[in-house]
Amino acid sequence: MSVWLPIAPCTPADCASPRWPAVRRTTAALRLVAGTAAVLAGVVLAPAAIFLGRSGRARLVGLWCRAVMRAFGVRIRVTGAVPGQRGPRRAGQGTLVVPNHISWLDIPLVASVLPGRMLAKREVRQWPVLGPLARFGGTLFVDRDRLRELPGVVGAVAGALRRGSRVIVFPEGSTWCGRERGRFRNAAFQAALDAGAAVQPVRIAYRPVGAAAFVGDDALGASLWRVAATAGLTAEITVLPPIPAAAHPDRRALAGAAHHALGGAATPGGAGAPHRALPGPRRGAVQIAVDRDSANLPSGSVHHSVSSIPAAASSERTPS
């Protein structure tokens, strides 16, 4: 259990129970086999991608993630202007991509459209198959049980943004079923401010609602089967207009603007709350981010340990 994880009201029984058309069991089983094979193909292709350069690797990752999604029977629908489709991004233009968080599917879904460096919890590094791929893909890892490491994480994200990388962070910090959303936690937005990078809000939705939800104590195996067994599962990703970090005075205002862009409402003390100056001597922006986030941390979480890979363990739950 991590103090960085907020508590979501979503549970598998309430949010992810099957209430939609399903394919035959043999079809679902074939999808599981195909999805596993697609993931393993990424392991085989990873060493060869070293020689492709950043843009080549990004294209390969995008193709691979689309193949994984399709193998599981998930169709992808993209709306909005995707950066790079009308020409390459200019060097030095780092972007902080901030989607809402519903499922483990969010990771290949976002990477299929906006491949970049993920911010993931430290445990992902040790996962079979996905761990080596995450390391190869330049994933930034964080120990969520050590709040003192947060300034270093913010600094690492800011450094990647300054070097022109696209960094993907899920600022809700936990998955929600798709019917509701959590507030955006603010720390990652400090990195965008420090680097002068744009923030790219991305709205994720799945149809039928709930089929892809990976929440609470949901087991990864159950979620994989539910996804593979759902007929006509569609992942919708909407790329919204970027938000210049310089247009907002502080990380709370920037997080609030991104949250509002996704259709979320500001909550007291959360994203979009007015900035309050801390008393006492002036301190660095990163340390202030740690202090303020610590004051809003929940006392517990619905999520469990990584050993059984439940819902919280599978996704890129990120501190923010």
Side-chain angles (χ1 to χ4, degrees), residues 18-292:
R19 294 184 289 269
W20 42 79
V23 298
R24 293 179 297 178
R25 293 181 65 87
T26 52
T27 301
L30 288 173
R31 285 178 174 179
L32 279 177
V33 172
T36 302
V39 172
L40 292 176
V43 178
V44 176
L45 293 173
I50 295 175
F51 306 101
L52 296 179
R54 179 190 290 183
S55 60
R57 285 196 299 269
R59 286 193 294 270
L60 183 61
V61 168
L63 289 171
W64 172 61
C65 289
R66 286 192 288 275
V68 170
M69 297 286 287
R70 194 69 186 114
F72 277 104
V74 183
R75 297 182 178 89
I76 300 175
R77 181 178 299 161
V78 183
T79 56
V82 179
Q85 282 191 342
R86 297 181 181 178
R89 291 189 303 148
R90 288 180 296 172
Q93 279 192 320
T95 306
L96 183 70
V97 178
V98 288
N100 58 304
H101 206 4
I102 298 173
S103 173
W104 57 269
L105 277 171
D106 300 346
I107 300 163
L109 173 61
V110 174
S112 70
V113 179
L114 297 168
R117 302 182 67 178
M118 293 277 179
L119 178 62
K121 62 182 184 176
R122 180 192 60 181
E123 291 86 348
V124 172
R125 188 193 299 266
Q126 307 302 326
W127 287 3
V129 181
L130 294 181
L133 287 175
R135 294 195 299 272
F136 171 78
T139 298
L140 301 166
F141 295 101
V142 56
D143 187 343
R144 300 176 304 170
D145 293 321
R146 296 183 179 180
L147 285 176
R148 293 185 181 276
E149 292 190 2
L150 186 53
V153 174
V154 172
V157 173
L161 293 171
R162 289 191 190 99
R163 292 188 293 273
S165 293
R166 180 186 286 135
V167 181
I168 302 161
V169 176
F170 293 96
E172 286 173 305
S174 181
T175 50
W176 295 64
C177 66
R179 298 178 178 89
E180 298 184 52
R181 295 193 183 100
R183 76 172 181 88
F184 275 12
R185 305 178 77 79
N186 305 312
F189 293 90
Q190 185 64 49
L193 286 169
D194 292 345
V199 172
Q200 183 83 68
V202 173
R203 185 186 300 118
I204 293 173
Y206 295 93
R207 301 287 183 268
V209 176
F214 188 42
V215 292
D217 60 354
D218 205 1
L220 180 59
S223 179
L224 288 167
W225 179 259
R226 190 165 57 244
V227 167
T230 300
L233 181 57
T234 301
E236 301 174 354
I237 179 168
T238 303
V239 182
L240 299 166
I243 302 171
H248 297 275
D250 54 59
R251 65 192 180 88
R252 288 178 182 271
L254 185 55
H259 190 253
H260 180 72
L262 292 180
T267 55
H275 175 76
R276 297 180 182 178
L278 293 182
R282 179 179 177 86
R283 287 176 290 173
V286 173
Q287 184 59 47
I288 290 174
V290 175
D291 294 343
R292 287 182 180 160

